[in-house]
């Protein structure tokens, strides 16, 4: 399936199951050798129709700079393509983690998206993409920075860049994982 066909399928599924919600598609070209997968779009992403912009995008850019990976060389997407929201009694809208039914709706499309982009290395950011792709037995605390495999590709689990901001010790672990990702990508001639 081509990337255009994957995105058309996602659009059709969203119109049927999430009417009125604007999907945020992956960004980048088929053939990118590195694919980054986050959780779901937030408010900025929904407003701009692009993954990882705004605050989350700034964190991601810092991470890419740390590993010396040019953003143009990577394909960036999320497991869930619509913004999961909670609406308070007073009408305030906030982000929430995706529900497992939402992850389940989008997972078959994520797998098609991975096959269409055909990267050598998939980098998952946080628990949501890790568990969606490798199963619930995996936790980021146990497998971060350790190479896994997915349909014959290498999968490199990282903490979510947003989750490490307020956690000093996690930040150091994350920084070491990111540097080691940059090193292995060069060792494997992926970059
Ligand atoms: N923005 C995204 O696009 N994905 C995340 O996982 C977080 C923020």
């Amino acid at each position: 399936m081509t990337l255009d066909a994957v995105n058309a399928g996602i659009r059709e599924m969203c119109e049927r199951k999430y009417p009125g919600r604007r999907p945020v598609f992956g960004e980048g070209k088929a053939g990118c050798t590195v694919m980054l997968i986050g959780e779901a779009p937030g408010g900025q992403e929904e407003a701009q129709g692009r993954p990882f912009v705004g605050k989350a995008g700034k964190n991601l850019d810092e991470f890419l700079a740390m590993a010396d990976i040019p953003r143009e060389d990577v394909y960036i997407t999320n497991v869930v393509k619509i913004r999961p929201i909670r609406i308070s009694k007073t009408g305030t809208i906030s982000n929430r983690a995706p529900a497992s039914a939402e992850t389940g709706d989008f997972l078959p499309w994520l797998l098609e998206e991975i096959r269409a982009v055909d990267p050598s290395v998939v980098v998952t950011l946080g628990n949501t993409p890790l568990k969606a792709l490798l199963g619930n037995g995996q936790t980021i605390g146990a497998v971060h920075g350790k190479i896994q495999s997915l349909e014959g590709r290498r999968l490199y689990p990282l903490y979510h860049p947003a989750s490490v901001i307020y956690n000093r010790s996690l930040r150091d672990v994350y920084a070491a994982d990111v540097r080691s990702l940059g090193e292995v990508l060069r060792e494997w001639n992926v970059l």
Side-chain angles (χ1 to χ4, degrees):
M1 207 186 276
T2 63
L3 203 44
D4 283 348
V6 172
N7 286 337
I10 293 171
R11 188 181 294 285
E12 188 278 324
M13 190 275 283
C14 288
E15 280 165 4
R16 212 164 14 90
K17 291 200 157 176
Y18 303 93
R21 305 308 310 281
R22 181 184 187 192
V24 176
F25 297 105
E27 191 171 85
K29 294 191 189 72
C32 277
T33 49
V34 181
M35 181 164 178
L36 301 187
I37 307 178
E39 179 176 283
Q44 286 286 327
E45 286 77 17
E46 183 183 52
Q48 294 187 41
R50 294 180 58 205
F52 283 98
V53 290
K55 195 155 180 262
K58 191 168 168 281
N59 291 337
L60 186 72
D61 289 344
E62 278 168 19
F63 141 56
L64 292 174
M66 247 198 279
D68 212 3
I69 305 172
R71 186 158 172 155
E72 318 73 78
D73 288 357
V74 297
Y75 183 95
I76 303 176
T77 195
N78 287 298
V79 179
V80 169
K81 305 298 198 269
I82 49 133
R83 178 189 181 196
I85 52 167
R86 172 182 295 124
I87 305 175
S88 77
K89 284 195 187 112
T90 56
T92 311
I93 296 175
S94 55
N95 296 333
R96 60 167 170 76
S100 55
E102 292 164 337
T103 305
D105 284 342
F106 283 95
L107 179 59
W109 290 110
L110 177 65
L111 290 168
E112 290 298 345
E113 190 179 12
I114 296 171
R115 292 172 196 136
V117 175
D118 196 22
S120 330
V121 181
V122 168
V123 180
T124 53
L125 303 174
N127 255 321
T128 300
L130 176 71
K131 285 176 185 280
L133 293 171
L134 295 189
N136 275 326
Q138 304 290 349
T139 64
I140 189 68
V143 298
H144 69 89
K146 298 196 177 103
I147 299 150
Q148 313 288 311
S149 84
L150 172 75
E151 295 187 345
R153 298 169 216 283
R154 292 162 172 135
L155 184 149
Y156 193 93
L158 280 179
Y159 282 103
H160 195 287
S163 75
V164 303
I165 307 174
Y166 302 109
N167 187 328
R168 173 88 223 159
S169 55
L170 213 54
R171 211 182 151 75
D172 294 344
V173 174
Y174 174 74
D177 286 349
V178 167
R179 273 191 213 99
S180 130
L181 171 64
E183 280 162 23
V184 291
L185 290 177
R186 285 180 175 80
E187 207 174 285
W188 296 333
N189 294 317
V190 168
L191 283 183

